[in-house]
Amino acid sequence: MDSNKTPPPDDVAAFSDVLSHSKHILVLSGAGLSAASGIPTFRDAGGLWRKYDVRTLATPQAWGENQSRVWQFYHYRREIALKVQPNAAHVAIAKLSIPTFREKVAPNADFTHVTQNIDGLFTRAYSDVLASLPESEQGTTAVAPLESFFFEMHGRLFDVECTAHDCKHREMIMTSPICPGLAGTELLVEEGTERVVRRADLPRCSQCGQLARPGVVWFGEKPHRVQDIMDLAKQADLCIIVGTSSIVQPASRIGGIVKEHGGKVAVFNVDRSNHDDEADFLFLGPCEVLLPQVLH
Ligand code: BV8
Ligand code: ZN
């Protein structure tokens, strides 16, 4: 971003007016959405992992070279994500997905949420918001099934995928630890105390017993449902970009596609971020404070 240029306006009234007239809202979220919950943003992974550029760990190459290290990296992040809760920003976005809440601020709009995050916190926030609805509202068809509007384009931390080409079984495993072989490795925060976990002691596929990998999209791998997401970006008339440095592609292209097709873009971030000078609105501050203020 060209931070010499005047930043886009942070006019809440103007944003609310755009929101109230929008027909297709697309929220794009990144690691900053979960920061307040206690999950380090992608570049701030702590502990043993501070000595690695995490982008070199989240690759098929790293997996090919050192499955023990890659699994310890994901086990470390699983153990953090299992201990934290969704925050007010997750709830504010989750409420936008519920018609009775959404119609107060955007009466004519439908809603899509694309996340780059793999931590599962939005899914938990959505089910918490659903559970808080009066019984009469919970089962109505108006409340769309999560998978119809929520896209986890970089996969899920708690999914595992079989590495056997003729199996590829995928399942969600929420247990802590995911397997005995990784137990306690999340506590190895001192440099150089990395353990070598034998391949036989790494997570296995429950169907065929072969080695399982983390169910996430690594750099160089194709994100999930990219074409659907880009088609939705072309139809969106308001894109709300929350807590992302907007560096990783193709996610970072979504705001530009919305603009190219006549839509408006609002960025919510504690800091300046890539392409934010092209946005129509820029709200600088913690999303867990700002989103509940401007979305309801
Ligand atoms: C693909 C899962 C093609 C794994 C992730 C050279 C140039 C350009 C592009 C490339 C290139 N070389 C390679 C590429 C492509 C590459 C890419 O974009 N690389 C980058 C590094 C340049 N992209 C890919 O490889 C993608 N695949 O292109 O495939 C293809 C097509 C067809 C067939 C085959 C292949 C795959 C990308 C997905 C990688 N996996 N995650 C894991 O997590 O371990 S990406 C990972 O990093 C995260 O998921 C996330 O997306 C990303 C980090 O980004 P952010 O979420 O933005 O987090 P970050 O820490 O950067 O920023 C946090 C922000 O929050 C900050 O701005 C901060 O200010 C803000 N914040 C903090 N606190 C708050 C806050 N804001 C508000 N409130 C707060 N409280
Ligand atoms: Zn298998």
Side-chain angles (χ1 to χ4, degrees):
M1 77 273 159
D2 177 357
S3 41
N4 297 325
K5 272 169 66 180
T6 316
D10 58 355
D11 182 335
V12 174
F15 172 75
S16 301
D17 185 54
V18 167
L19 184 63
S20 67
H21 291 94
S22 57
K23 291 199 174 35
H24 306 290
I25 301 168
L26 188 156
V27 172
L28 170 66
S29 60
L33 179 68
S34 297
S37 296
I39 293 192
T41 59
F42 196 69
R43 294 168 299 175
D44 304 342
L48 179 67
W49 308 105
R50 59 175 175 274
K51 68 183 178 189
Y52 295 101
D53 171 353
V54 288
R55 286 184 310 209
T56 60
L57 284 171
T59 63
Q61 291 78 2
W63 173 253
E65 286 156 16
N66 194 330
Q67 289 148 4
S68 163
R69 174 176 300 158
V70 171
W71 256 119
Q72 288 179 68
F73 175 53
Y74 286 96
H75 168 70
Y76 169 75
R77 293 167 70 189
R78 287 171 57 98
E79 294 300 307
I80 292 176
L82 281 170
K83 294 185 179 70
V84 301
Q85 302 300 326
N87 63 60
H90 292 105
V91 173
I93 297 171
K95 282 183 167 179
L96 264 191
S97 63
I98 309 283
T100 42
F101 285 115
R102 186 170 64 245
E103 61 203 18
K104 294 175 195 155
V105 289
N108 315 305
D110 57 32
F111 170 84
T112 298
H113 178 194
V114 176
T115 192
Q116 301 173 85
N117 299 343
I118 61 174
D119 55 39
L121 285 180
F122 177 77
T123 301
R124 289 169 52 192
Y126 176 69
S127 57
D128 294 349
V129 167
L130 262 191
S132 71
L133 291 176
E135 279 284 314
S136 56
E137 268 189 62
Q138 289 196 19
T140 61
T141 48
V143 181
L146 187 61
E147 59 283 354
S148 69
F149 66 84
F150 182 46
F151 297 75
E152 294 173 288
M153 68 186 295
H154 292 162
R156 296 197 293 207
L157 185 56
F158 294 102
D159 275 5
V160 295
E161 188 182 307
C162 182
T163 57
H165 294 296
D166 57 353
C167 174
K168 289 288 180 204
H169 172 67
R170 194 179 176 90
E171 62 180 301
M172 179 174 270
I173 302 178
M174 299 298 287
T175 52
S176 165
I178 184 168
C179 66
L182 287 167
T185 58
E186 72 279 9
L187 307 171
L188 301 172
V189 288
E190 295 316 312
E191 300 271 323
T193 51
E194 183 179 338
R195 197 181 298 169
V196 177
V197 179
R198 290 180 322 131
R199 184 183 162 97
D201 295 332
L202 291 173
R204 319 300 299 180
C205 169
S206 62
Q207 302 295 306
C208 73
Q210 290 299 314
L211 179 64
R213 58 163 278 182
V216 299
V217 176
W218 283 325
F219 287 100
E221 294 185 323
K222 191 168 185 298
H224 298 320
R225 302 170 71 185
V226 174
Q227 199 46 55
D228 294 345
I229 291 169
M230 296 308 164
D231 291 345
L232 285 162
K234 290 173 189 161
Q235 295 156 23
D237 51 10
L238 175 59
C239 182
I240 299 172
I241 298 177
V242 186
T244 177
S245 54
S246 288
I247 292 167
V248 172
Q249 296 188 29
S252 56
R253 293 209 307 267
I254 290 171
I257 290 170
V258 173
K259 292 278 295 177
E260 281 160 26
H261 289 78
K264 297 223 180 283
V265 171
V267 171
F268 290 79
N269 201 309
V270 281
D271 224 333
R272 297 304 300 271
S273 55
N274 215 13
H275 309 310
D276 71 0
D277 48 349
E278 297 152 25
D280 298 279
F281 300 97
L282 174 60
F283 296 101
L284 288 175
C287 59
E288 65 277 8
V289 172
L290 295 180
L291 282 187
Q293 288 173 350
V294 300
L295 290 185
H296 293 288

